Amino acid sequence: MSNGYDDGWEPVTRLGRMVQDGEIDTMSAALNSGLPLKEPELVDQLLPGLDDEVLDINMVQRMTDSGRRVKFRCVVTVGDRNGFVGYAEGRDDQVGSAIQKAIEIAKLNIIEVPRGSGSWEDRSDRPHSLTHRTSGKAGSVEVDLIPAPEGLGLAASDTVRAVLELAGIENAWTQSHGNTRTTVNLAKATFNALENASQSRRPAARSDTDTGEVVER
C-alpha cells in the first residue's frame, strides 16, 4: 500500500522500499528492523520537520603533493525534539556544502533516546528527562548526563544543551571533564552518552553507516 510520499525519491535499499511501501511507518520501527539506515530521504519521511543546528565550523588545512588544501569542517546535530537525535561532522571546500553533508550523515546516525522520569526526586509521568544516568567520551572529553526532576531545566553548557534539546531532553544535570573548550569532542561525547543510553533499544544486527571521510562517530 502506498503512503502517498512522492518527491521523486526512489529507494535503493530494502529498508527504504519498506518505508516507501508503508510496511514501516515509524522511525522506531525502522531502527528496530535491524536493517542499515543508508538513505537520508527515509528519515525525512519518517521524521518530517527535523530540526538541525550547526555547533561548530572550523577551517582544516592539509598539505598535498599539489600544495596546501583548505576544507571546512562543520559539526551538526539534528533532532525532532521528541526522542530522536543524530550527530555528524561534514567536510567540504565550501561551508554550505560541508553543512549539508553533515546534516545528511547526521540523519543516517539517528538514534532513539529512551526518555522518562529517572530522578528519585521526580514523580512526573511525562517523558521529560533521561531514564537513567549515562556517560559518553570523545577524545579527552567525558560527559555525564544525570536525570533531573521536572522544572530544573538543563544544567549544561551551550553545546551539551543544544544536543539534549534536539533529543527532547528538557531536564538534566550534566558534568563534563577534559578539554571541554573543544566543541567537536564535547558535542560528540554528549551524543555518545545518549547513544550509550539507547544501546538496549538498538538491535545488534544494525550496522554502522559507511561515512567515509565525511563523519566520525
Side-chain angles (χ1 to χ4, degrees), residues 34 199 201-207:
Q199 285 299 326
R201 290 186 171 216
R202 295 177 64 180
R206 184 185 173 197
S207 62

Side-chain angles (χ1 to χ4, degrees), residues 87 135-145 160 163 177 183-196:
Y87 164 89
S135 63
K137 189 173 182 181
S140 67
V141 179
E142 185 170 358
V143 172
D144 296 319
L145 306 178
V160 175
V163 178
H177 315 277
T183 301
V184 58
N185 283 344
L186 186 57
K188 193 173 183 179
T190 305
F191 177 75
N192 287 345
L194 294 175
E195 187 172 37
N196 288 337

Side-chain angles (χ1 to χ4, degrees), residues 52-190:
D52 59 76
E53 185 164 344
V54 178
L55 302 177
D56 189 54
I57 299 176
N58 264 320
M59 186 181 295
V60 180
Q61 299 187 41
R62 186 178 65 172
M63 289 299 299
T64 66
D65 293 339
S66 58
R68 190 183 303 274
R69 291 197 60 188
V70 175
K71 285 192 173 184
F72 294 95
R73 183 187 66 187
C74 297
V75 179
V76 170
T77 184
V78 301
D80 70 343
R81 303 182 187 273
N82 194 32
F84 292 95
V85 67
Y87 164 89
E89 302 166 39
R91 298 181 184 181
D92 201 270
D93 298 337
Q94 304 294 324
V95 173
S97 298
I99 292 174
Q100 190 56 43
K101 282 184 178 181
I103 289 173
E104 291 185 0
I105 298 300
K107 291 176 181 178
L108 302 183
N109 291 340
I110 208 95
I111 59 171
E112 183 173 9
V113 179
R115 298 179 302 151
S117 177
S119 171
W120 64 271
E121 303 175 73
D122 194 19
R123 299 190 179 185
S124 173
D125 294 327
R126 197 172 65 86
H128 62 87
S129 187
L130 299 155
T131 58
H132 60 277
R133 181 169 183 159
T134 182
S135 63
K137 189 173 182 181
S140 67
V141 179
E142 185 170 358
V143 172
D144 296 319
L145 306 178
I146 307 164
E150 191 163 22
L152 176 80
L154 293 173
S157 67
D158 290 343
T159 297
V160 175
R161 177 189 297 272
V163 178
L164 294 181
E165 286 179 343
L166 285 177
I169 303 298
E170 302 171 28
N171 301 279
W173 281 294
T174 69
Q175 298 174 347
S176 55
H177 315 277
N179 186 10
T180 56
R181 290 177 296 177
T182 307
T183 301
V184 58
N185 283 344
L186 186 57
K188 193 173 183 179
T190 305

